[in-house]
């Protein structure tokens, strides 16, 4: 069935990037259809951050048998608990394949809002250390943009989303337009001061930069520190599509949001050389339908957007729509984590934490910034933080009867953990393709993912654990435990790079404005567009690139060039 309406724009996906595309395009006057594969979300019914464990069927311990069947991959993620598992996909319905020796842990959300509901909200600008990295190292291709191109768009998205944090004036981690920072706790202050004393001019510990409001902002209330943000937020205090961008798009009266609309593929008009339609399967009835628009924004996430293009091959583009370069699906990256250290921070036994601050600490990248580091390229930052141990440490305590009871009723020592997030190098051999043998619950061919971390990522992990232990030792910590926990790629949930930008259509899929070189009315503004991975969390950069691409697309539409 064909819908006869021709929209100005179609946005595929309503997660972090789709929400931004919907807001920007509608506010600039475009009638916009948002196609979302998952169900709709009603905050009043779906958000459960204030539901106590005793009101949960399994008292917060999860239905482990069901999760083993329906969410064996998703349930390995820290945020997928008994409350929030409904915001993660059903792995049985949404399969993918890998080679047995190359596991990839793909963590996804399929509902209005996508993963913006469960994300950790850590928000950092990238810098020219990142945008010039490939050129400097002679790796992959150069970014077609520099920090100056995106800086105004960081301002634009930050002013709307609300990012709290501390300004530091560091060139490698430019400051955002900040709301007031959250406070460090006493253990974190001890470590911060020791790091400043022992590593002057090199390492700095600051509070995380986070898309959580520390004061009322644009009709959304300041955070009240209840804690489990991955279950939703009825006061709209953290940024997600449902809380912020989609209501703004709705307000224009120009958005049509269509949940349960699983995009199968795009059609291509070889005469006009434009994407001419979006083929959709209704998730509930399985009926098929085609929608049309002047311009199409793919915002289904780095792997899903490319899956749609790989499933849209034509005689001219036999290996996927907009793939004349042969790079579509290649250069898959994810941050490497799992290196760090933990310890006890003695002292402050008379102090307790008040409230549940939804944020940790951050140590900006210090390797390969001012001086060249032997052994690896690029660098990493640390997340983590300090906390006072509570009664739950009792499981690791010995003892029996009243004495044991008394001991666990007292708080334990202050503990501190540093956890690294490192840059992953782009590599043509890390790629996705269509697995011709397997389809998902809607009959759509699934992805086969080929991705492994290389030598450089392993060297970064090792250095993370050494540097973390050094900082804890400088803070007089006790029982320092350096660790290297080897997780497969995917687990940092920062997958990106599969439809990279570039200046040359022969080596890249998108131009400097996220527009497909081959198909002028097609834009990809999710993580697919990234040319390198930086070491900082990427979603703020996806938002800024999306807003920038929307501005460009509307200008091009007005000029009749799309
Ligand atoms: C637990 C967790 C913690 C995270 N922490 C951070 C963090 O601290 N900082 C950070 O920067 N990032 C973080 N991330 C990553 C962040 O969530 C993603 O980078 C971001 O959501 C990507 O935005 P997106 O719009 O590309 O994709 P998503 O937000 O995943 O949205 C994609 C949307 O597209 C829809 N879709 C997919 N396929 C189709 C189809 N065929 N048809 C129609 N619709 C489709 C999906 O249902 C979904 O709604 C975290 C993620 C998770 C899960
Ligand atoms: S901690 Fe703050 S942002 Fe998180 S759910 Fe509670 S009020 Fe919302």
């Amino acid at each position: 069935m064909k819908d006869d309406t021709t929209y100005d724009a179609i946005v595929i996906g309503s997660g972090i990037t789709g929400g931004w595309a919907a807001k920007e395009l509608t506010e600039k006057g475009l009638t916009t259809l948002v196609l979302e594969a998952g169900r709709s979300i009603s905050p009043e019914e779906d958000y459960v951050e204030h539901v106590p464990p005793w009101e949960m069927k399994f008292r917060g311990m999860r239905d482990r048998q069901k999760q083993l069947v329906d969410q064996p991959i998703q349930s390995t993620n820290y945020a997928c608990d008994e409350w929030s598992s409904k915001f993660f996909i059903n792995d049985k319905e949404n399969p993918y394949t890998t080679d047995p020796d190359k596991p990839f842990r793909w963590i996804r959300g399929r509902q209005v809002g996508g993963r913006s509901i469960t994300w950790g909200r850590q928000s950092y600008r990238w810098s020219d250390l990142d945008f010039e990295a490939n050129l400097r190292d002679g790796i992959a291709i150069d970014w077609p943009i520099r920090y100056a191109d995106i800086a105004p768009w960081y301002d634009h998205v930050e002013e709307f989303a609300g990012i709290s944090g501390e300004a530091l004036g560091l060139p490698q981690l430019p400051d955002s337009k900040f709301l007031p920072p959250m406070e460090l706790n006493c253990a974190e202050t001890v470590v911060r001061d020791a790091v400043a004393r022992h590593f002057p001019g090199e390492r700095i510990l600051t509070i995380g930069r986070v898309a959580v409001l520390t004061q009322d902002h644009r009709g959304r209330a300041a955070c009240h520190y209840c804690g489990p943000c991955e279950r939703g937020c009825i006061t709209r205090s953290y940024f997600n599509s449902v809380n912020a961008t989609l209501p703004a798009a709705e307000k224009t009266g120009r958005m049509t949001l269509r949940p349960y609309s699983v995009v199968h593929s795009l059609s291509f008009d070889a005469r006009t050389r434009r994407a001419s339609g979006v083929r959709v399967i209704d998730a509930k009835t399985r009926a098929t339908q085609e929608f049309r628009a002047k311009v199409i924004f793919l915002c289904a996430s780095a792997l899903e957007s490319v899956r749609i293009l790989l499933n849209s091959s034509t005689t001219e583009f036999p290996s996927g729509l907009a793939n004349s370069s042969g790079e579509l699906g290649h250069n898959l990256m994810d941050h490497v984590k799992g290196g760090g250290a933990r310890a006890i921070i003695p002292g402050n036994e008379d102090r307790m934490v008040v409230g549940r601050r939804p944020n940790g600490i951050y140590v900006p990248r210090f390797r390969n910034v001012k001086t060249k580091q032997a052994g690896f390229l690029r660098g990493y930052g640390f997340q983590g933080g300090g906390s006072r141990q509570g009664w739950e440490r009792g499981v690791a305590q010995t003892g029996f009867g009243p004495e044991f009871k008394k001991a666990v009723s007292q708080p334990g020592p202050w503990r501190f953990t540093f956890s690294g997030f490192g840059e992953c190098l782009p590599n043509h051999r890390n790629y996705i393709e269509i697995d011709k043998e397997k389809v998902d619950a809607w009959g759509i061919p699934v992805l086969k993912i080929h991705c492994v971390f290389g030598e450089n990522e392993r060297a970064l992990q090792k250095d993370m654990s050494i540097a973390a232990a050094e900082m804890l030792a400088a803070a007089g910590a006790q029982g320092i435990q350096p660790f290297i926990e080897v997780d497969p790629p995917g687990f940092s949930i920062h997958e990106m790079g599969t439809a990279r930008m570039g200046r040359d259509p022969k080596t890249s899929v998108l131009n400097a404005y996220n527009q497909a070189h081959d198909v002028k009315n097609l834009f990809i503004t999710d993580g697919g567009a990234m040319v390198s991975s930086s070491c900082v969390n990427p979603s703020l950069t996806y938002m800024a690139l999306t807003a920038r691409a929307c501005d460009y697309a509307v200008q091009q539409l007005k000029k009749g060039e799309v």
Side-chain angles (χ1 to χ4, degrees), residues 286-304:
R286 316 269 157 145
T288 57
Q289 203 164 349
E290 190 162 338
F291 296 93
R292 280 176 295 136
K294 294 175 192 156
V295 63
I296 294 168
F297 270 69
L298 266 172
C299 298
S301 79
L303 302 189
E304 290 288 10

Side-chain angles (χ1 to χ4, degrees), residues 327-403:
E327 291 296 335
L328 188 72
H330 288 266
N331 312 298
L332 171 58
M333 298 168 275
D334 182 36
H335 287 142
V336 57
K337 61 183 177 97
R342 54 179 79 91
I344 289 172
I345 307 294
N348 286 303
E349 275 89 14
D350 57 338
R351 306 187 71 179
M352 285 297 293
V353 170
V354 180
R356 299 190 187 116
R357 186 191 65 197
N359 190 14
I361 59 94
Y362 195 67
V363 176
R365 173 174 160 187
F366 50 91
R367 294 295 194 216
N368 288 315
V369 175
K370 290 183 182 163
T371 53
K372 200 164 163 28
Q373 181 75 21
F376 54 83
L377 296 168
R378 320 274 168 110
Y380 53 85
F382 282 113
Q383 301 186 19
S387 58
R388 187 102 198 242
Q389 277 201 301
W391 62 268
E392 71 281 1
R393 77 189 191 287
V395 288
Q397 268 192 192
T398 50
F400 187 67
E403 267 178 39

Side-chain angles (χ1 to χ4, degrees), residues 12-19 35-38 77-79 88 107-116 118-123 230 261-264 299-302 304-305 307-308 383 444 492-495 525-527 537-540 542:
I12 301 173
S14 65
I16 288 191
T17 59
L35 296 170
E36 166 54 53
N77 180 263
Y78 75 94
F88 290 80
I107 306 295
R108 283 173 284 172
R110 204 167 237 232
Q111 62 271 321
V112 170
R115 288 177 294 184
S116 76
T118 52
W119 75 310
R121 309 157 308 281
Q122 291 293 307
S123 299
E230 62 279 359
S261 303
V262 183
V263 173
H264 174 286
C299 298
S301 79
E304 290 288 10
S305 287
R307 178 179 167 209
I308 291 169
Q383 301 186 19
I444 305 174
S492 293
I493 328 173
H494 295 159
E495 71 282 359
T525 71
D526 53 36
N537 304 61
S539 304
L540 184 69
Y542 302 166

